[in-house]
Amino acid sequence: MHPFPDDFLWGAATASHQVEGGNSLNDWWDWEHQRGRIQHGERSGDAAGWWDGAAEDDLRRAADMGHSAHRLSLEWSRLEPEPGRFDGRAFDRYREILGAARDLGLATNVTLYHFTLPRWAARRGSWLSRDLPRRFARFSGEAATRLGDLVDLWATINEPNVLAFMAYGEGRWPPGRQSALASFRVLRMLLRAHVGSRRAVRAARPDAPVGLVLNMPLFEPAHIGHPLDRAAASFQDWGFTGSVLAGLVDGKLRLPMTLFPRHEPGLAGSFDWLGVNYYGRFAVLFDPAAEKPMGRHVQQPTTRTEWVDWGQPCPRGLTASLLRAGQLGKPVYVTENGLYDNDDRARPRFLIDHVDAVADAISRGADVRGYFHWSLVDNFEWTEGWSTHFGLLALDRSTGERTPRRSAAIFERICRAGGVEAALRREVGEG
């Protein structure tokens, strides 16, 4: 029927700031309170209520829907609200959440840094501070020491390429810098932080599998036969994805606007597994005046809001990204794959097509060991606020009520069958 192994992990993903609520000590909380930063002036507020008890209920719903794993993140600002001071009560709350997952039979994939910085770190220069990688390593070691017995997989940093671009290139995320040079410097700093974080986790938990999560879209020329479109697509792909993958192999960062590769000690082979976040395809049209380097994204149709373009759903791009990541010789997980689809019309077909794409990658030799759909429940989607719904569970923010969407039932059937059965493919195709 399909090539998924029996121990393949099926689940969904969340991130701390997007679901917990009340994360008032980080840079995103401050960003939300600045005029014009978030669509419709919305704020995370109490989010999906995870910190106040909803986490256990949502994890129970996930287990009841056949999930075997869950990906979540830790909020650094809760655990270290002041430099060097760790909050035992916050660690206790995470132990409750992780313990609930363990009791429900859910394997846990835990990310140490998912876009939000403690306010004290932001005030010291955020990721342009040379001292921050060392501080992040210290935090990582503390988290692994206190929580590691409840964690199956650790990820150091979520999407360093996205953070560098959104926060320091386009300036749409805190701290709001708009400098290509700063974005490249920050990407280097994030990879340095990844290396130190992995070392700290492994020092505390020598057998812990520690990975890195990258966003890996498919960049293609708008016109396949046009040399300038091909050059623009290749340039964007290299700056966003290729340079990081190459650095993970040989420890050298070959970034745009730098004349010589820069050696980063410890970067080569600094991962036990690689996470692939994939949302779609970008068709790149050469345009030296475009906001993005060398070209505009012109794919149609596409999934976008006023400020963010997730690209065109394209299952073959997921296959290609998994095969590419698999060439590094380590296990691969799909750590995010989802669709902004408020009426849930396209998501059922999206799920089937993209799970089939994972199966295709496995059949072609990629060592893919899990699939985490984004997201379990509707959440605060960064600059898009509450207007973009990615959840398998719809959230009524006024009551906190969860309502499973049709796609939740589709994904449940995939999880329980360990892949897409022919009957489900026909059923959804006919729908």
Side-chain angles (χ1 to χ4, degrees), residues 267-283:
L267 181 60
S270 61
F271 60 103
D272 304 302
W273 58 272
L274 197 63
V276 172
N277 291 356
Y278 178 82
Y279 289 89
R281 164 187 177 269
F282 296 114

Side-chain angles (χ1 to χ4, degrees), residues 230-243:
R230 292 202 307 269
S234 295
F235 184 84
Q236 290 188 9
D237 175 77
W238 179 255
F240 198 72
T241 305
S243 60

Side-chain angles (χ1 to χ4, degrees), residues 127-144:
W127 286 109
L128 288 171
S129 168
R130 293 182 179 274
D131 191 46
L132 195 53
R134 179 185 65 82
R135 293 182 178 276
F136 179 61
R138 181 186 60 189
F139 160 69
S140 300
E142 192 74 19

Side-chain angles (χ1 to χ4, degrees), residues 217-218 220 278-283 299-304 309-318 337-341 346-347 349-351 353-354 357 390:
L218 178 65
E220 291 187 325
Y278 178 82
Y279 289 89
R281 164 187 177 269
F282 296 114
Q299 68 282 346
Q300 291 296 331
T302 194
T303 305
R304 68 166 299 128
D309 188 354
W310 286 274
Q312 182 183 65
C314 180
R316 64 178 172 83
L318 177 56
N337 175 235
L339 182 66
Y340 153 42
D341 177 26
R347 190 179 290 111
R349 184 77 250 174
F350 178 98
L351 271 165
D353 290 344
H354 285 77
F390 282 84

Side-chain angles (χ1 to χ4, degrees), residues 7 15 53 67 83 93 112 124 127 150 166 237 251 331 356-358 364 374 389 406 408:
D7 59 354
H67 298 197
R93 177 63 184 130
L112 287 157
R124 295 179 181 213
W127 286 109
L150 296 172
M166 292 295 288
D237 175 77
D356 280 345
V358 179
R364 293 165 64 180
W374 184 268
H389 301 161
R406 181 192 177 210

Side-chain angles (χ1 to χ4, degrees), residues 368-381:
V368 187
R369 300 191 182 184
Y371 175 92
F372 294 88
H373 185 73
W374 184 268
S375 176
L376 176 60
V377 61
D378 289 343
N379 56 48
F380 181 76
E381 239 348 289

